[in-house]
């Protein structure tokens, strides 16, 4: 039995510093910095539990309000397969996150130690309570610790109880901090990668759509122009006015271009609706933690801003109101529509299609890509999103349905495209597999042989549903459905491809794809408005 000691002879130690010792941290103090970058006073050293756990590169803190859906990452699978997750991070160029699986294993070992310590203290507390309640019940108890209690006065027993309670509180705080840190690290680890995904940086070509407009290897006598030149010639694109109004990366669509935008949206929605996808008109602003749960972070790996955040009044921030951001894609509000809900098995697979305005903050720093409509800050996009049963075969079938619908839409527009199985280096955090479709842009022949991405489709397994607390009831139990998303049509890029590929230098006109003419008042060509 450990010797009894009253609190009278011990030096006072504040609770946070006792907690620091309980985590077996080094005794040399290290001052942390607050959110404004200021060094706190000496007395504040060690008083933040997060700083005590940072032995390896850390993800940014999770800004999740208490009202946010509680994520349920599969920590057990990460602990059982740390090498798999670490290599997956390296394959996908998440180098900082490659250290997190091993760190989670280390933290879990510390958590188990705290659990054992807590059990020992609780058993000791039970013996003490029995001794206080009825000393006679422990008279025949041969346990050495119980025998020690019989030698104590009631005052000593009460003091020992207070000490045990304080130590248990510290252990429970440590357990909570360790759990929170494991969760935080796990949330920053990308999804595992599908076996169908090529490792490395090079995608694999799966198929082509329509014939190439340049039939032979010899240069054609056809005059090719970029869509920016075509739009200027026809008077239907205005980049200079948009630069004055909003800056570079913004644009005005005029007359037939504005009409063509609506025609593309209407056509894509009609094609998806015919295929059984239910239409949704989603919000353009979402909570920042919803975007993060879907795999969209405020900054990319290079620190470049990706998402526009809505400025908060100081009083709202002080009250802890969640931050709002502009949605970069309708995938985010569509996924969030079923956050913290339970889907009925009979409703799965659940298909949704939405047209929305999308906002990307990073458009301005891409060199030649920032000219024209190819990479802009705001654009219209038609997005497909589906929830499936957590089954690989069912999800693959839904994924094929999305890619087939994309192929049908782009093929009917007369564009020459190629379907790519994207490599690990091109996968975002949420995707386990991704297929892109690239269209041929004559203006991009000096860059990537003319190819430019116009649609994308991804399988995210349960990455998003676990972070959004979206569940499905099946066979009397709750499981996490898998999600699939895809771009039905990204309007500016497709519009640009139509202008470039449909341009006739002799007539100074652009041929409108036949499938769009019902939404263009039967118009067959866009000619110059001003001579």
């Amino acid at each position: 039995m450990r010797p009894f000691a009253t609190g009278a002879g011990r030096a006072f130690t504040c609770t946070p510093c006792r907690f620091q010792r309980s985590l077996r941290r080094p005794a040399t103090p290290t001052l942390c910095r607050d959110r404004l970058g200021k060094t706190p006073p000496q007395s504040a050293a060690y008083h933040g539990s997060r700083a005590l756990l940072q032995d390896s590169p850390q993800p940014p803190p999770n800004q999740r309000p208490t009202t946010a859906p509680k994520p349920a990452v599969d920590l057990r699978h990460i602990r059982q397969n740390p090498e798999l997750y670490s290599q997956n991070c390296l394959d996908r160029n998440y180098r900082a996150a490659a250290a997190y699986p091993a760190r989670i294993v280390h933290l879990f070992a510390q958590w188990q130690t705290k659990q054992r310590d807590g059990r020992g203290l609780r058993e000791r507390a039970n013996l003490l309570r029995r001794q206080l309640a009825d000393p006679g019940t422990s008279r025949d108890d041969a346990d050495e610790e119980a025998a020690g209690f019989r030698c104590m006065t009631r005052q000593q027993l009460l003091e020992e109880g207070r000490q045990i309670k304080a130590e248990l509180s510290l252990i429970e705080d440590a357990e909570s901090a360790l759990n929170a840190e494991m969760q935080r690290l796990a949330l920053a680890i990308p999804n595992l990668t599908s076996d169908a995904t090529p490792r490395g940086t090079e995608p694999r070509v799966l198929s082509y759509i329509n014939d190439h407009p340049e039939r032979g290897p010899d240069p054609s006598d056809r005059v090719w122009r970029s869509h920016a030149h075509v739009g200027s010639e026809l008077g239907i694109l205005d980049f200079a006015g948009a630069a004055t109004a909003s800056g570079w990366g913004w644009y005005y669509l005029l007359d037939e271009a504005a009409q063509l935008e609506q025609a593309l949206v209407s056509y894509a929605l009609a094609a998806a609706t015919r295929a059984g996808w239910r239409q949704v008109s989603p919000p353009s602003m979402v909570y920042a933690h919803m975007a993060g749960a879907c795999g969209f972070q405020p900054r990319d790996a290079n620190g470049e801003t990706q998402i526009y955040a809505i400025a908060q009044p100081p009083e709202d921030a002080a009250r802890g109101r969640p931050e709002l951001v502009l949605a970069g894609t309708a995938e985010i509000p569509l996924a969030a529509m079923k956050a913290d809900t339970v889907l009925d098995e009979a409703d799965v697979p659940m298909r949704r299609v939405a047209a929305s305005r999308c906002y990307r903050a990073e458009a301005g720093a891409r060199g030649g890509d920032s000219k024209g409509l190819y990479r802009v800050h705001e654009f219209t996009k038609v997005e497909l999103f589906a929830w499936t049963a957590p089954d690989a075969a069912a999800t693959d079938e839904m994924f094929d349905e999305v890619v087939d619908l994309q192929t049908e839409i782009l093929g009917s527009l007369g564009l020459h495209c190629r379907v790519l199985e994207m490599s690990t280096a091109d996968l975002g955090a949420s995707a386990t597999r991704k297929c892109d479709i690239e269209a041929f842009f004559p203006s991009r022949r000096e860059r990537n042989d003319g190819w430019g991405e116009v649609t994308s489709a991804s399988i995210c397994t349960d990455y998003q549903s676990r972070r959004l607390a979206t569940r499905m009831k099946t066979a009397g139990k709750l499981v996490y459905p898998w999600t699939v998303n895809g771009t039905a049509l990204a309007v500016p890029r497709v519009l640009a491809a139509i202008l470039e590929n449909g341009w006739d230098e002799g007539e100074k006109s652009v041929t409108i794809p036949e499938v769009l003419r019902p939404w263009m008042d039967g118009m067959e060509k866009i000619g110059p408005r001003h001579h």
Side-chain angles (χ1 to χ4, degrees):
M1 182 182 98
R2 63 191 178 111
F4 169 76
T6 65
R10 281 179 289 169
F12 171 75
T13 306
C14 70
T15 298
C17 288
R18 292 183 69 189
F19 172 42
Q20 178 257 333
R21 290 177 184 174
S22 75
L23 288 176
R24 296 179 172 84
R25 306 300 297 169
T28 305
T30 302
L31 293 179
C32 60
R33 293 183 178 269
D34 64 16
R35 293 183 63 185
L36 298 178
K38 299 177 181 178
T39 303
Q42 182 71 29
S43 61
Y46 296 133
H47 289 200
S49 61
R50 180 168 292 155
L52 307 177
L53 298 167
Q54 294 183 344
D55 281 345
S56 60
Q58 302 290 302
N62 296 322
Q63 303 296 331
R64 298 182 64 85
T66 55
T67 56
K70 187 176 180 181
V73 186
D74 194 347
L75 281 168
R76 181 178 180 183
H77 196 263
I78 296 174
R79 295 196 312 268
Q80 291 175 341
N81 303 276
E83 294 85 3
L84 171 65
Y85 280 89
S86 180
Q87 184 60 49
N88 182 62
C89 290
L90 295 174
D91 290 342
R92 296 170 71 146
N93 206 25
Y94 282 72
R95 297 196 174 277
Y100 299 164
R103 180 65 178 151
I104 289 171
V105 172
H106 177 63
L107 292 172
F108 182 71
Q110 293 185 42
W111 180 84
Q112 286 181 310
T113 299
K114 296 299 172 188
Q115 285 271 296
R116 288 192 293 270
D117 293 345
R119 279 196 298 271
L121 282 175
R122 291 183 185 94
E123 290 170 1
R124 181 173 173 80
N126 289 335
L127 288 173
L128 190 149
R129 275 194 293 269
R130 285 170 53 196
Q131 181 67 23
L132 282 169
D134 186 359
T137 58
S138 62
R139 188 172 300 157
D140 300 326
D141 198 329
D143 184 89
E144 184 181 350
E145 198 159 36
F149 285 149
R150 291 197 294 270
C151 301
M152 296 182 186
T153 67
R154 183 173 182 82
Q155 186 60 35
Q156 289 175 327
L157 289 172
L158 291 173
E159 175 60 26
E160 181 70 8
R162 283 190 289 269
Q163 182 179 339
I164 291 174
K165 183 177 180 181
E167 291 181 6
L168 269 175
S169 178
L170 288 176
I171 287 175
E172 289 167 357
D173 287 346
E175 289 174 349
S176 178
L178 290 165
N179 262 321
E181 185 69 358
M182 286 188 286
Q183 282 282 334
R184 193 169 71 94
L185 293 170
L187 287 171
I189 295 174
N191 202 352
L192 290 175
T193 305
S194 166
D195 292 338
T197 299
R199 269 55 181 173
T201 60
E202 292 301 317
R204 182 171 62 248
V205 178
L206 299 179
S207 61
Y208 289 91
I209 304 170
N210 295 329
D211 294 330
H212 198 290
E214 293 181 316
R215 301 193 177 184
D218 295 330
S220 168
D221 59 357
R222 179 176 176 180
V223 177
W224 297 98
R225 296 201 186 192
S226 75
H227 65 276
H229 290 132
V230 171
S232 177
E233 183 86 23
L234 299 177
I236 59 175
L237 299 180
D238 183 358
F239 296 103
T244 301
S246 307
W248 294 108
W250 307 84
Y251 57 94
Y252 286 107
L253 301 180
L254 308 174
D255 302 316
E256 289 91 345
Q259 194 174 359
L260 187 59
E261 177 184 49
Q262 298 305 314
L264 286 165
V265 170
S266 298
Y267 174 59
L269 286 174
T273 303
R274 282 197 305 270
W277 296 72
R278 290 179 59 187
Q279 286 193 37
V280 176
S281 181
S284 293
M285 285 197 295
V286 294
Y287 287 136
H289 60 264
M290 291 295 183
C294 292
F296 294 84
Q297 302 301 325
R299 294 182 180 273
D300 64 14
N302 300 316
E304 190 172 274
T305 301
Q306 293 183 305
I307 296 175
Y308 287 110
I310 307 300
Q312 275 188 315
E315 55 271 21
D316 285 353
R319 282 197 292 265
R321 287 193 175 180
E323 182 185 28
L324 284 167
V325 298
L326 291 172
T329 167
E331 174 191 342
I332 300 171
L334 286 175
M337 186 167 57
K338 296 299 180 182
D340 223 357
T341 61
V342 178
L343 308 180
D344 289 332
E345 187 175 14
D347 294 332
V348 175
M350 185 180 290
R351 301 171 177 85
R352 298 293 183 265
V353 59
S356 72
R357 297 294 277 180
C358 305
Y359 301 88
R360 304 288 174 89
E362 86 283 8
R366 303 289 178 151
D369 279 356
S370 64
K371 298 177 181 178
L373 294 174
Y374 190 80
R375 196 177 295 278
V376 291
H377 289 301
E378 179 183 8
F379 57 96
T380 301
K381 183 158 71 86
V382 180
E383 182 75 8
L384 304 164
F385 193 89
W387 295 264
T388 72
D391 174 77
T395 307
D396 286 345
E397 184 178 346
M398 180 58 63
F399 182 73
D400 291 342
E401 180 180 330
V402 170
V403 175
D404 288 345
L405 185 55
Q406 292 171 331
T407 302
E408 174 193 335
I409 292 172
L410 293 171
S412 64
L413 293 174
L415 299 176
H416 176 55
C417 305
R418 64 178 184 177
V419 184
L420 302 176
E421 186 77 56
M422 301 310 291
S423 66
T424 51
D426 288 302
L427 297 185
S430 61
T432 185
R433 180 188 176 193
K434 183 163 81 90
C435 280
D436 284 358
I437 300 182
E438 296 181 336
F440 176 72
F441 290 81
S443 66
R444 295 174 60 84
R445 282 176 295 176
E446 302 302 319
R447 186 167 52 252
N448 199 28
D449 295 328
W451 298 110
E453 178 196 340
V454 289
T455 73
S456 181
S458 300
I459 296 176
C460 297
T461 59
D462 60 0
Y463 181 97
Q464 294 173 330
S465 58
R466 281 183 173 274
R467 286 159 174 77
L468 292 168
T470 304
R471 291 148 294 170
M472 184 184 88
K473 185 176 290 186
T474 178
K477 63 179 181 178
L478 292 176
V479 297
Y480 292 96
W482 289 7
T483 59
V484 177
N485 67 79
T487 308
L489 198 143
V491 172
R493 291 189 182 182
V494 173
L495 192 152
I498 289 173
L499 293 182
E500 292 191 14
N501 287 281
W503 173 250
D504 186 311
E505 178 70 16
E507 292 185 356
K508 296 291 190 291
S509 66
V510 170
T511 301
I512 298 171
E514 188 174 350
V515 293
L516 299 180
R517 294 173 190 173
W519 289 280
M520 297 286 293
D521 299 325
M523 191 186 308
E524 295 183 5
K525 294 185 178 182
I526 302 173
R529 182 167 296 275
H530 306 291
H531 297 281

